PDB file of all heavy atoms in Angstrom:
ATOM      1  N   VAL A  76      93.656  86.003  93.553  1.00  0.00           N
ATOM      2  CA  VAL A  76      92.443  85.428  94.158  1.00  0.00           C
ATOM      3  C   VAL A  76      92.618  85.418  95.699  1.00  0.00           C
ATOM      4  O   VAL A  76      93.693  85.102  96.180  1.00  0.00           O
ATOM      5  CB  VAL A  76      92.241  84.022  93.661  1.00  0.00           C
ATOM      6  CG1 VAL A  76      91.023  83.365  94.317  1.00  0.00           C
ATOM      7  CG2 VAL A  76      92.071  84.003  92.166  1.00  0.00           C
ATOM      8  N   VAL A  77      91.548  85.745  96.363  1.00  0.00           N
ATOM      9  CA  VAL A  77      91.494  85.638  97.849  1.00  0.00           C
ATOM     10  C   VAL A  77      90.491  84.568  98.180  1.00  0.00           C
ATOM     11  O   VAL A  77      89.376  84.549  97.713  1.00  0.00           O
ATOM     12  CB  VAL A  77      91.110  86.944  98.500  1.00  0.00           C
ATOM     13  CG1 VAL A  77      91.015  86.778 100.020  1.00  0.00           C
ATOM     14  CG2 VAL A  77      92.051  88.067  98.117  1.00  0.00           C
ATOM     15  N   LYS A  78      90.946  83.649  99.053  1.00  0.00           N
ATOM     16  CA  LYS A  78      90.019  82.624  99.548  1.00  0.00           C
ATOM     17  C   LYS A  78      90.066  82.632 101.069  1.00  0.00           C
ATOM     18  O   LYS A  78      90.963  83.182 101.664  1.00  0.00           O
ATOM     19  CB  LYS A  78      90.416  81.233  98.996  1.00  0.00           C
ATOM     20  CG  LYS A  78      90.343  81.171  97.491  1.00  0.00           C
ATOM     21  CD  LYS A  78      90.316  79.788  97.024  1.00  0.00           C
ATOM     22  CE  LYS A  78      90.159  79.837  95.510  1.00  0.00           C
ATOM     23  NZ  LYS A  78      89.731  78.580  94.952  1.00  0.00           N
ATOM     24  N   VAL A  79      89.058  82.017 101.653  1.00  0.00           N
ATOM     25  CA  VAL A  79      88.972  81.994 103.111  1.00  0.00           C
ATOM     26  C   VAL A  79      88.579  80.599 103.573  1.00  0.00           C
ATOM     27  O   VAL A  79      87.767  79.914 102.901  1.00  0.00           O
ATOM     28  CB  VAL A  79      87.990  83.068 103.665  1.00  0.00           C
ATOM     29  CG1 VAL A  79      86.587  82.800 103.162  1.00  0.00           C
ATOM     30  CG2 VAL A  79      88.029  83.229 105.133  1.00  0.00           C
ATOM     31  N   CYS A  80      89.171  80.168 104.704  1.00  0.00           N
ATOM     32  CA  CYS A  80      88.800  78.900 105.271  1.00  0.00           C
ATOM     33  C   CYS A  80      88.545  79.081 106.772  1.00  0.00           C
ATOM     34  O   CYS A  80      88.830  80.159 107.341  1.00  0.00           O
ATOM     35  CB  CYS A  80      89.860  77.790 105.037  1.00  0.00           C
ATOM     36  SG  CYS A  80      91.418  78.123 105.834  1.00  0.00           S
ATOM     37  N   GLY A  81      88.014  78.038 107.399  1.00  0.00           N
ATOM     38  CA  GLY A  81      87.711  78.114 108.815  1.00  0.00           C
ATOM     39  C   GLY A  81      86.573  78.987 109.127  1.00  0.00           C
ATOM     40  O   GLY A  81      86.473  79.600 110.227  1.00  0.00           O
ATOM     41  N   VAL A  82      85.616  79.074 108.222  1.00  0.00           N
ATOM     42  CA  VAL A  82      84.441  79.999 108.365  1.00  0.00           C
ATOM     43  C   VAL A  82      83.365  79.296 109.161  1.00  0.00           C
ATOM     44  O   VAL A  82      83.015  78.108 108.886  1.00  0.00           O
ATOM     45  CB  VAL A  82      83.906  80.421 107.004  1.00  0.00           C
ATOM     46  CG1 VAL A  82      82.650  81.231 107.140  1.00  0.00           C
ATOM     47  CG2 VAL A  82      84.980  81.110 106.192  1.00  0.00           C
ATOM     48  N   CYS A  83      82.780  79.985 110.163  1.00  0.00           N
ATOM     49  CA  CYS A  83      81.662  79.394 110.908  1.00  0.00           C
ATOM     50  C   CYS A  83      80.771  80.561 111.380  1.00  0.00           C
ATOM     51  O   CYS A  83      81.180  81.687 111.549  1.00  0.00           O
ATOM     52  CB  CYS A  83      82.147  78.586 112.047  1.00  0.00           C
ATOM     53  SG  CYS A  83      83.081  79.455 113.326  1.00  0.00           S
ATOM     54  N   GLY A  84      79.533  80.238 111.602  1.00  0.00           N
ATOM     55  CA  GLY A  84      78.577  81.181 112.200  1.00  0.00           C
ATOM     56  C   GLY A  84      78.394  82.427 111.429  1.00  0.00           C
ATOM     57  O   GLY A  84      78.165  82.453 110.233  1.00  0.00           O
ATOM     58  N   ALA A  85      78.528  83.591 112.144  1.00  0.00           N
ATOM     59  CA  ALA A  85      78.274  84.892 111.530  1.00  0.00           C
ATOM     60  C   ALA A  85      79.280  85.232 110.454  1.00  0.00           C
ATOM     61  O   ALA A  85      79.041  86.125 109.678  1.00  0.00           O
ATOM     62  CB  ALA A  85      78.316  85.945 112.616  1.00  0.00           C
ATOM     63  N   GLN A  86      80.448  84.555 110.461  1.00  0.00           N
ATOM     64  CA  GLN A  86      81.423  84.770 109.414  1.00  0.00           C
ATOM     65  C   GLN A  86      80.907  84.421 108.048  1.00  0.00           C
ATOM     66  O   GLN A  86      81.388  84.915 107.036  1.00  0.00           O
ATOM     67  CB  GLN A  86      82.726  83.997 109.707  1.00  0.00           C
ATOM     68  CG  GLN A  86      83.375  84.411 111.007  1.00  0.00           C
ATOM     69  CD  GLN A  86      84.430  83.424 111.426  1.00  0.00           C
ATOM     70  OE1 GLN A  86      84.548  82.360 110.887  1.00  0.00           O
ATOM     71  NE2 GLN A  86      85.254  83.866 112.415  1.00  0.00           N
ATOM     72  N   GLU A  87      79.874  83.555 107.970  1.00  0.00           N
ATOM     73  CA  GLU A  87      79.245  83.222 106.686  1.00  0.00           C
ATOM     74  C   GLU A  87      78.776  84.495 106.002  1.00  0.00           C
ATOM     75  O   GLU A  87      79.001  84.691 104.768  1.00  0.00           O
ATOM     76  CB  GLU A  87      78.107  82.252 106.893  1.00  0.00           C
ATOM     77  CG  GLU A  87      78.485  80.876 107.378  1.00  0.00           C
ATOM     78  CD  GLU A  87      78.976  79.953 106.270  1.00  0.00           C
ATOM     79  OE1 GLU A  87      78.736  80.240 105.123  1.00  0.00           O
ATOM     80  OE2 GLU A  87      79.564  78.926 106.654  1.00  0.00           O
ATOM     81  N   TYR A  88      78.110  85.333 106.749  1.00  0.00           N
ATOM     82  CA  TYR A  88      77.549  86.579 106.200  1.00  0.00           C
ATOM     83  C   TYR A  88      78.764  87.467 105.735  1.00  0.00           C
ATOM     84  O   TYR A  88      78.670  88.088 104.667  1.00  0.00           O
ATOM     85  CB  TYR A  88      76.722  87.330 107.260  1.00  0.00           C
ATOM     86  CG  TYR A  88      76.323  88.691 106.735  1.00  0.00           C
ATOM     87  CD1 TYR A  88      75.326  88.864 105.836  1.00  0.00           C
ATOM     88  CD2 TYR A  88      76.985  89.840 107.245  1.00  0.00           C
ATOM     89  CE1 TYR A  88      74.956  90.105 105.308  1.00  0.00           C
ATOM     90  CE2 TYR A  88      76.656  91.101 106.768  1.00  0.00           C
ATOM     91  CZ  TYR A  88      75.589  91.246 105.792  1.00  0.00           C
ATOM     92  OH  TYR A  88      75.259  92.468 105.337  1.00  0.00           O
TER      93      TYR A  88
END
Side-chain angles (χ1 to χ4, degrees):
V76 178
V77 177
K78 297 198 178 196
V79 64
C80 66
V82 177
C83 63
Q86 296 168 348
E87 293 278 346
Y88 173 76

